[in-house]
């Protein structure tokens, strides 16, 4: 059994029903929209976000979910999908999860409108059912994701990101959405603010570890030629690189910055940069930080009684840092 199936097992029935409800939540009177949303639903990814919602809800409530849990999972998936559709337009990307992106098939104008439509469907699903507490959690996440992306663009131009700014960027860009899923799952079944905050923090820590793991992929041997990590055209500054930039001599720093800014297409120079980052403890440092976040997340689970849901969340935390892609 693969890891995703293992995680899904205790919430298998919920996920089946969720898929139906999610598809229904997208429906429209416009045939073109229905054609596009049908395309979206049939090209779904691992569905990690709704899994977080259901697992946290069931762990906290001792195995129960309710209609609010389903709506919360649908809202987060609607809004997340809207951001992905818009991201593909912004990045001028033709592929998403191995399939054509919406903008590649239907052009940018339609893609932006579909993103807006999904966002409004998410908002209305909460408002129509009076789930204002859930809507607040999600709205904060959307605001932070936008801020994180813009903060990254602002800072990447200068190549002098400090570690604390880097953490703020990834907390907003990546971790805030996973944090919202976990807080949402908890809030849908409990009014205990301590529990909700606990789960929010748990999701945030997983998100931080997840992003650092992504940074490390940029330095694996598979990334022959040009890892995304040092392609500044992508406006990405990764933790291994930031650590090395902040600890090397000023002469080495000038060479690194010049390599990244002006020679990011030169395969030989890119390989030299990768070797420099590896030899100067960049990878080991980032790995340690990732494990720190992972351990903190696992500690937050310790106070909960043992259950299939807690075990699935533990597997999920470990999977985040052990995954191969």
């Amino acid at each position: 059994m693969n890891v995703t199936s293992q995680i899904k097992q205790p919430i298998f029935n919920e996920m089946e029903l969720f898929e139906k409800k999610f598809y229904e939540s997208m429906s429209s009177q416009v045939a073109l929209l229905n054609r596009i949303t049908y395309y979206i639903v049939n090209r779904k990814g691992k569905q990690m976000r709704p899994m977080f919602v259901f697992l946290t809800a069931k762990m906290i409530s001792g195995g129960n979910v309710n209609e609010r849990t389903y709506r919360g999972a649908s809202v987060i998936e609607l809004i997340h999908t809207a951001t992905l559709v818009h991201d593909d337009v912004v990045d001028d990307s033709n592929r998403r999860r191995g399939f054509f992106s919406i903008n590649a098939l239907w052009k940018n104008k339609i893609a932006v409108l579909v993103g807006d439509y999904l966002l409004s469907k998410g908002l209305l699903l909460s408002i129509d059912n009076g789930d204002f507490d859930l809507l607040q959690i999600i709205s904060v996440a959307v605001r932070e994701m936008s801020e994180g992306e813009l903060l990254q663009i602002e800072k990447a131009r200068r190549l002098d990101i400090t570690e604390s700014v880097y953490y703020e960027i990834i907390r907003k860009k990546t971790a805030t959405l996973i944090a919202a899923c976990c807080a949402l799952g908890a809030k849908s079944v409990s009014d205990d603010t301590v529990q909700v905050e606990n789960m929010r923090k748990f999701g945030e820590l997983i998100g931080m570890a997840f992003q650092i793991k992504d940074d490390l992929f940029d330095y694996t041997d598979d990334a022959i030629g040009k890892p995304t990590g040092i392609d500044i055209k992508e406006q990405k500054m990764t933790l291994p690189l930031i650590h090395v930039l902040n600890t090397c001599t000023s002469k080495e720093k000038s060479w690194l910055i010049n390599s990244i800014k002006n020679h990011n297409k030169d395969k030989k120079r890119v390989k030299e940069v990768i070797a420099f980052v590896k030899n100067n403890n960049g990878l080991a440092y980032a790995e340690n930080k990732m494990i720190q976040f992972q351990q903190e997340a696992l500690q937050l689970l310790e106070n909960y009684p043992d259950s299939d849901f807690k075990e699935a969340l533990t597997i999920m935390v470990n999977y985040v840092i052990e995954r191969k892609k």
Side-chain angles (χ1 to χ4, degrees):
M1 192 191 289
N2 69 17
V3 178
T4 314
S5 309
Q6 241 181 317
I7 297 165
K8 249 185 192 173
Q9 216 176 0
I11 50 168
F12 185 80
N13 295 337
E14 284 80 7
M15 289 299 291
E16 293 262 284
L17 184 52
F18 160 73
E19 282 189 26
K20 288 196 190 80
K21 287 177 181 284
F22 178 54
Y23 183 53
E24 283 163 15
S25 70
M26 287 184 173
S27 69
S28 155
Q29 301 296 311
V30 179
L32 172 63
L33 255 173
N34 286 335
R35 223 166 36 244
I36 297 172
T37 54
Y38 181 77
Y39 180 82
I40 290 170
V41 168
N42 284 319
R43 279 145 192 78
K44 60 182 182 295
K46 294 192 190 79
Q47 294 191 302
M48 289 303 211
R49 275 153 289 273
M51 281 154 70
F52 273 122
V53 175
F54 289 114
L55 285 171
T56 45
K58 291 190 92 164
M59 180 181 75
I60 280 182
S61 67
N64 300 314
V65 295
N66 55 40
E67 282 303 314
R68 266 162 59 82
T69 320
Y70 285 103
R71 286 198 298 270
S74 291
V75 171
I76 210 124
E77 200 67 346
L78 281 166
I79 289 177
H80 172 61
T81 308
T83 62
L84 295 184
V85 172
H86 283 164
D87 280 352
D88 287 339
V89 174
V90 171
D91 299 338
D92 202 13
S93 173
N94 287 327
R95 310 289 284 184
R96 163 76 57 188
R97 297 182 185 130
F99 296 97
F100 284 114
S101 57
I102 303 300
N103 49 304
L105 292 173
W106 285 282
K107 303 284 179 278
N108 282 352
K109 182 173 183 176
I110 289 178
V112 171
L113 293 168
V114 169
D116 291 346
Y117 173 76
L118 294 171
L119 188 65
S120 67
K121 286 295 264 191
L123 299 175
L124 285 167
L125 185 59
S126 293
I127 292 166
D128 290 346
N129 291 283
D131 299 326
F132 298 106
D133 51 347
L134 306 185
L135 186 57
Q136 194 203 6
I137 292 170
I138 294 160
S139 301
V140 168
V142 175
R143 183 197 73 206
E144 292 202 322
M145 282 157 66
S146 312
E147 284 177 344
E149 288 280 359
L150 288 163
L151 181 63
Q152 184 178 37
I153 291 166
E154 178 192 323
K155 297 294 183 185
R157 291 190 183 129
R158 300 224 310 275
L159 286 191
D160 59 354
I161 296 186
T162 60
E163 215 175 301
S164 62
V165 169
Y166 165 81
Y167 290 134
E168 190 187 353
I169 290 170
I170 69 167
R171 185 186 70 72
K172 289 185 162 178
K173 237 188 81 166
T174 306
T176 191
L177 190 64
I178 302 174
C181 294
C182 297
L184 206 78
K187 185 71 178 165
S188 72
V189 294
S190 168
D191 279 331
D192 184 339
T193 50
V194 175
Q195 299 264 35
V196 176
E197 175 54 26
N198 239 356
M199 286 296 102
R200 190 202 64 76
K201 189 71 188 161
F202 169 75
E204 187 178 282
L205 291 162
I206 295 175
M208 302 292 275
F210 184 91
Q211 186 56 56
I212 296 172
K213 179 68 173 179
D214 264 8
D215 287 4
L216 289 164
F217 281 139
D218 290 348
Y219 295 88
T220 57
D221 297 334
D222 306 340
I224 302 297
K226 183 178 67 74
T228 50
I230 52 173
D231 181 357
I232 290 307
K233 302 260 183 303
E234 295 243 324
Q235 306 259 314
K236 271 186 182 173
M237 284 294 279
T238 58
L239 185 56
L241 188 58
I242 290 165
H243 176 67
V244 171
L245 277 171
N246 290 332
T247 51
C248 64
T249 66
S250 57
K251 190 178 170 195
E252 289 166 333
K253 189 172 182 174
S254 300
W255 173 80
L256 267 175
I257 287 179
N258 182 30
S259 304
I260 293 160
K261 274 197 163 167
N262 305 316
H263 304 279
N264 55 38
K265 297 274 188 286
D266 175 344
K267 289 186 180 179
K268 183 171 171 286
R269 187 76 167 256
V270 164
K271 280 187 173 171
E272 286 169 13
V273 171
I274 291 174
F276 186 83
V277 170
K278 283 183 176 172
N279 297 335
N280 285 270
N281 208 31
L283 298 197
Y285 180 82
E287 259 169 36
N288 283 336
K289 285 289 179 190
M290 174 180 76
I291 290 165
Q292 253 176 287
F293 286 122
Q294 176 223 17
Q295 293 302 321
E296 279 182 57
L298 289 173
Q299 273 171 355
L300 286 171
L301 291 182
E302 276 176 11
N303 301 329
Y304 293 94
D306 289 341
S307 66
D308 291 349
F309 319 114
K310 178 180 171 178
E311 193 186 337
L313 284 169
T314 306
I315 294 169
M316 217 152 172
V317 176
N318 294 331
Y319 167 70
V320 160
I321 71 161
E322 287 159 12
R323 67 202 162 96
K324 298 286 184 280
K325 59 179 180 175

